[in-house]
Amino acid sequence: MTIFTKIINKEVPAEIVYEDEHCLAFRDINPQAPTHVLLIPKKEIPTMNDATPADRTILGHLLLTAPKIAAQEGIAEDGYRLVLNTNASAGQTVFHIHMHIIGGRPLGWPPG
Ligand code: DGP
């Protein structure tokens, strides 16, 4: 279990911007851009390497929910980035998959 499960269970506070049966979105505690939201499944999946075909629906749901949150945040038209860091070299620090929704400023490419 990670800190994100405690956020799902409302044992740790977070600024929640969206919630439904399968997922939760809240503002990143260390924002890298004017908008930086984390979208997570309520199911505990440590990394994308652990996802299985049984997770098809929830992963599809995350991808279809992210643009709705981007629209709600007012960054859909301007543009935003969806990031799923996986393991050490990508900088994953919380082992409960989370999609970063980042926008509100021009974003550099490639990532550092
Ligand atoms: P990653 O490096 O991809 O594993 O991103 C983890 C992100 O989670 C990082 O940007 C900071 C954020 N984070 C870690 N702990 C908390 C927390 O307790 N609350 C919130 N809101 N965000 C957190």
Side-chain angles (χ1 to χ4, degrees), residues 3-4 7 26-29 38 85 91-94 98 100:
I3 188 86
F4 288 176
I7 290 175
F26 51 93
R27 298 199 190 283
D28 194 293
I29 204 167
L38 300 175
N85 291 326
Q92 185 176 6
T93 59
V94 180
H98 47 281
H100 296 258

Side-chain angles (χ1 to χ4, degrees), residues 7-26:
I7 290 175
I8 291 167
N9 292 335
K10 313 286 164 60
E11 293 162 7
V12 164
E15 194 181 335
I16 293 169
V17 299
Y18 178 85
E19 180 168 15
D20 66 25
E21 184 186 353
H22 298 295
C23 65
L24 182 72
F26 51 93

Side-chain angles (χ1 to χ4, degrees), residues 23-94:
C23 65
L24 182 72
F26 51 93
R27 298 199 190 283
D28 194 293
I29 204 167
N30 184 24
Q32 301 301 314
T35 296
H36 190 166
V37 169
L38 300 175
L39 174 59
I40 68 174
K42 289 188 172 175
K43 179 179 177 185
E44 290 178 336
I45 304 171
T47 82
M48 281 305 295
N49 293 339
D50 302 302
T52 73
D55 300 317
R56 186 187 310 273
T57 300
I58 182 65
L59 294 174
H61 183 65
L62 290 181
L63 279 170
L64 293 172
T65 301
K68 292 184 187 171
I69 294 170
Q72 183 180 298
E73 293 289 319
I75 58 171
E77 294 307 317
D78 182 55
Y80 58 95
R81 188 166 294 160
L82 303 178
V83 176
L84 275 157
N85 291 326
T86 300
N87 281 339
S89 284
Q92 185 176 6
T93 59
V94 180

Side-chain angles (χ1 to χ4, degrees), residues 92-105:
Q92 185 176 6
T93 59
V94 180
F95 289 86
H96 179 134
I97 62 170
H98 47 281
M99 188 181 292
H100 296 258
I101 304 172
I102 303 169
R105 66 169 171 81

